[in-house]
Amino acid sequence: MIEINNLSLEQNKIKSLENINIRINEGEIIGVIGESGSGKTALLKTIAGISPKYTGEILLTNRSLQSYKKNLLNQLLSCSFEEIPHNNDDTVFDFLLQSRIPYKKFLNPFSEYDIQITEECLHQFNLNTYKNNKILSLPGAILKRCHLAYCFIREAKVTILDNPTSDLDFHSIFTLQRYMSKYVMDGNKIIIIASNDLNFVIQTSDRIIILKDGEIALEGTHNMIDGETIKKYFNIDIIYSKNIYNGKPVINLFPMN
């Protein structure tokens, strides 16, 4: 569980977040949306411990985020801000395996389970073909899938993804949605996503948070999303419909004249 109380963040003397209060339960996928500059990335980085100079309180499993030592925090949290290859010669497999470093005992090799979960994610994200390729030789779309696989290989209690669908094709987005649903199915994990892809967030999330000027403007399920809401917080007109399979809203932009 994550509990955030009266969270505020100032960056370069500008308020990025103001009086954020959220409770996130295990087994939930939380989607964060809002216009550019609304505070989406700032919120995710603060929850991930990357923006430490905040006021208020962030509790992870009933313990202050700031009280965790780095290695234990890295076991509990996995986020898409950290997976930068450090070695130009790393293969895709080597790079992905490094996600398991927080569990690795000093001077010991990676365990059989570390290798197993890496192999499984290679398969789940359709990366087997690139297993032995150098990570930095990959085209952007494939590298994006590697970054996502890296986050999930850690099997952290909380996985934080910033704009996870950028550079992904339709099939990869479908694969990600399916994997995310499976990932939280045991009821022990949390996924937090911030995205400009409104339909992805609506179709994937259990709850949605709309940020405006660093504050929570609206919070609820997909039922709160309609044409009026999108017009108010994104200043665009849409054609509102519903997914025939799950009944969730689908946002369609008016065609340009």
Side-chain angles (χ1 to χ4, degrees):
M1 181 192 73
I2 298 173
E3 188 173 346
I4 300 173
N5 299 309
N6 303 316
L7 172 67
S8 295
L9 176 70
E10 187 175 287
Q11 297 175 306
N12 300 319
K13 298 183 179 180
I14 298 173
K15 281 284 187 182
S16 299
L17 300 171
E18 180 72 24
N19 196 32
I20 302 292
N21 292 278
I22 312 168
R23 182 187 175 98
I24 304 173
N25 299 311
E26 294 173 346
E28 281 193 302
I29 299 175
I30 300 296
V32 183
I33 58 176
E35 292 186 300
S36 296
S38 61
K40 300 188 298 295
T41 298
L43 177 59
L44 265 61
K45 284 188 173 182
T46 306
I47 296 173
I50 298 172
S51 300
K53 295 182 179 180
Y54 59 85
T55 60
E57 181 181 55
I58 302 176
L59 299 177
L60 175 58
T61 62
N62 296 314
R63 177 176 163 183
S64 170
L65 183 70
Q66 295 174 323
S67 72
Y68 283 98
K69 292 184 177 180
K70 183 176 180 180
N71 193 64
L72 180 54
L73 187 62
N74 286 339
Q75 290 180 15
L76 293 170
L77 283 169
S78 180
C79 60
S80 61
F81 307 109
E82 65 185 4
E83 71 292 349
I84 300 172
H86 298 292
N87 187 338
N88 291 349
D89 293 322
D90 276 349
T91 65
V92 168
F93 181 82
D94 291 336
F95 167 66
L96 295 179
L97 187 60
Q98 290 171 28
S99 181
R100 301 291 301 175
I101 284 177
Y103 304 105
K104 183 177 175 293
K105 294 183 179 179
F106 185 61
L107 297 180
N108 283 11
F110 285 101
S111 70
E112 290 185 8
Y113 182 74
D114 295 331
I115 295 171
Q116 177 189 332
I117 190 63
T118 303
E119 294 278 8
E120 288 177 2
C121 270
L122 274 166
H123 174 71
Q124 291 289 337
F125 284 88
N126 301 312
L127 292 168
N128 282 326
T129 303
Y130 306 95
K131 177 179 178 179
N132 296 314
N133 290 40
K134 290 186 178 181
I135 185 72
L136 294 181
S137 72
L138 298 176
I142 307 304
L143 185 59
K144 180 70 175 188
R145 297 211 314 257
C146 288
H147 287 170
L148 291 169
Y150 182 99
C151 291
F152 288 108
I153 284 168
R154 177 136 340 145
E155 294 191 311
K157 196 170 191 67
V158 180
T159 300
I160 297 173
L161 305 175
D162 191 33
N163 273 322
T165 61
S166 64
D167 294 327
L168 295 186
D169 57 29
F170 181 78
H171 185 267
S172 297
I173 292 173
F174 172 75
T175 298
L176 177 60
Q177 283 181 313
R178 183 175 57 185
Y179 193 87
M180 288 170 60
S181 296
K182 180 181 177 183
Y183 190 76
V184 299
M185 194 175 294
D186 63 3
N188 294 320
K189 299 183 182 72
I190 290 168
I191 297 176
I192 306 171
I193 54 175
S195 180
N196 296 319
D197 186 342
L198 299 186
N199 280 319
F200 175 79
V201 171
I202 293 167
Q203 299 302 315
T204 307
S205 305
D206 299 302
R207 279 193 292 142
I208 299 169
I209 294 167
I210 299 179
L211 291 182
K212 185 173 178 60
D213 298 328
E215 299 184 37
I216 295 179
L218 202 61
E219 177 188 351
T221 68
H222 63 269
N223 293 319
M224 72 181 187
I225 302 296
D226 55 23
E228 183 178 339
T229 300
I230 298 301
K231 177 66 175 178
K232 180 176 181 179
Y233 294 110
F234 295 89
N235 196 31
I236 54 173
D237 294 307
I238 65 165
I239 301 172
Y240 173 87
S241 60
K242 287 192 175 184
N243 185 311
I244 62 173
Y245 294 104
N246 60 25
K248 291 185 176 182
V250 175
I251 294 173
N252 305 282
L253 299 180
F254 276 109
M256 298 293 290
N257 292 329

